[in-house]
Amino acid sequence: MVKNVASVVADLASEDFYLLSGVEQGMRFSEWVNREKLPEYANLTAEEVDYRLDRCMKRDLIQRRTIQYEGYQLTFEGYDVLALHTFAERDSIEGVGAPLGVGKESDVYEAQSYRPLALKFHREGYTNFREVNKEREYTADHNHVSWLYTARKAAEREHDALETLYPDVSVPRPVDHNRHAILMTKFEGVELARAKLEETQAVGVLDLILEEVADAYAAGMVHADLSEHNVAVAESGITIFDWPQSVPTDHANAVELLERDVGNLIGFFRRKYPTVVPDVDARRVADAIVAGDFETVRAASRSS
């Protein structure tokens, strides 16, 4: 888990942000930024760069490696600081609180503002940049030297999806976006994988989720990575989150990805509630969603 750097932001001077921004700019061209190029990128004197490098290194915002040259790279903490600084300048956020969720590809924190918010930092590509860069559609066709691009593109894709879907689909409302970070409304509920439903509720909840999937398809989007781990269940309803791998419905593989999403959900409910959830044909459900006439999984039962 990358540490919460909110307290660091207030401790930095303008010149520290110039340096961090300079390293960020240099990482567009090189995985490790040559020390000799930093005065130009950061618009600082060589002496000022030396001082700011020391300050930022002590705070774990950048890291150094000696290769054919002395090179520097932002850590994710450094990238977090730049995003938080921008949010603060926009008055989008007043502070950062406790972690809400930590995963392999993102960290989510409570955010303090005029209403309860969630702050999500994308982490794609930081530890396995080359593998993720090759596998993810939004980076696979491009040659990029930095994990910053992968994480930023994931955040952009998710933010765009949320803006497309909200409020017609039950997703978090997007509030702001910068670099690899998204501010969104904090939603209620627990992850479907951990939810304890009464057996009599199971089919109804599955239908409710699939209705949202159908609404998303009607709005032009397929989640493309849907499972019991990115659906929240509450008394007030359900919320579908984590949309960075979403695709538009005119994508060549949209229907195939929709069927996979549907199959993942049906498979989970069948495993957890085998006595009440019917054996459902995921393809028939996906076809009904595409046709705009989905009503219930019972209509796609293999016994019907």
Side-chain angles (χ1 to χ4, degrees):
M1 175 181 173
V2 178
K3 67 182 181 182
N4 186 339
V5 297
S7 61
V8 177
V9 176
D11 193 37
L12 298 178
S14 298
E15 291 79 5
D16 296 314
F17 291 111
Y18 296 159
L19 176 70
L20 293 172
S21 296
V23 176
E24 177 188 25
Q25 180 181 349
M27 288 180 68
R28 294 169 54 198
F29 312 108
S30 176
E31 185 175 3
W32 294 89
V33 184
N34 194 320
R35 162 68 182 78
E36 294 182 359
K37 294 183 177 293
L38 284 176
E40 174 188 350
Y41 288 148
N43 196 27
L44 296 170
T45 65
E47 294 76 13
E48 190 70 37
V49 164
D50 284 338
Y51 177 65
R52 300 299 163 183
L53 282 173
D54 184 60
R55 281 175 53 84
C56 291
M57 289 275 288
K58 287 180 178 178
R59 290 163 176 79
D60 297 322
L61 305 181
I62 57 174
Q63 54 191 340
R64 177 177 58 202
R65 176 178 292 180
T66 302
I67 25 183
Q68 291 88 357
Y69 55 88
E70 182 181 337
Y72 291 86
Q73 182 186 87
L74 286 177
T75 62
F76 250 123
E77 287 89 350
Y79 207 30
D80 290 355
V81 160
L82 286 172
L84 283 176
H85 180 61
T86 299
F87 286 144
E89 287 188 322
R90 294 174 180 170
D91 292 326
S92 298
I93 190 172
E94 296 175 0
V96 179
L100 294 173
V102 178
K104 182 174 66 174
E105 296 185 341
S106 66
D107 292 339
V108 185
Y109 294 91
E110 290 182 320
Q112 300 164 13
S113 186
Y114 61 96
R115 66 172 64 183
L117 298 178
L119 172 63
K120 180 176 182 178
F121 292 112
H122 279 267
R123 306 296 188 202
E124 287 89 341
Y126 185 49
T127 57
N128 56 343
F129 164 65
R130 288 173 177 81
E131 179 182 342
V132 172
N133 195 46
K134 180 173 63 177
E135 291 180 353
R136 295 300 168 88
E137 179 183 316
Y138 46 82
T139 58
D141 295 334
H142 307 278
N143 292 319
H144 297 279
V145 297
S146 169
W147 50 261
L148 270 65
Y149 180 83
T150 306
R152 179 172 62 83
K153 290 302 291 183
E156 285 179 2
R157 195 170 186 131
E158 178 165 30
H159 185 262
D160 288 348
L162 295 179
E163 286 203 316
T164 297
L165 297 172
Y166 185 86
D168 297 324
V169 183
S170 184
V171 299
R173 181 176 71 84
V175 174
D176 202 354
H177 160 244
N178 182 256
R179 294 176 170 89
H180 64 314
I182 302 173
L183 269 175
M184 64 189 86
T185 50
K186 183 180 175 183
F187 53 85
E188 298 179 340
V190 298
E191 188 180 290
L192 176 62
R194 298 186 290 112
K196 296 180 180 179
L197 303 176
E198 299 293 335
E199 286 197 343
T200 55
Q201 297 176 303
V203 173
V205 172
L206 175 56
D207 281 345
L208 186 62
I209 297 169
L210 290 171
E211 287 170 7
E212 295 296 337
V213 172
D215 288 343
Y217 192 89
M221 301 298 298
V222 175
H223 189 285
D225 191 35
L226 193 56
S227 75
E228 64 271 23
H229 300 294
N230 38 41
V231 177
V233 180
E235 289 189 5
S236 57
I238 66 103
T239 304
I240 300 178
F241 56 96
D242 285 346
W243 290 81
Q245 296 192 55
S246 59
V247 299
T249 51
D250 60 2
H251 185 280
N253 299 322
V255 175
E256 177 185 343
L257 293 168
L258 172 65
E259 185 178 338
R260 187 179 71 182
D261 283 352
V262 170
N264 287 343
L265 290 171
I266 292 171
F268 168 76
F269 276 88
R270 283 282 293 166
R271 291 190 302 273
K272 193 164 184 179
Y273 308 99
T275 61
V276 294
V277 176
D279 183 12
V280 177
D281 186 334
R283 176 168 290 184
R284 287 175 62 186
V285 173
D287 288 345
I289 289 173
V290 172
D293 57 13
F294 171 79
E295 293 183 358
T296 175
V297 292
R298 296 190 189 280
S301 170
R302 296 185 194 274
S303 60
S304 63

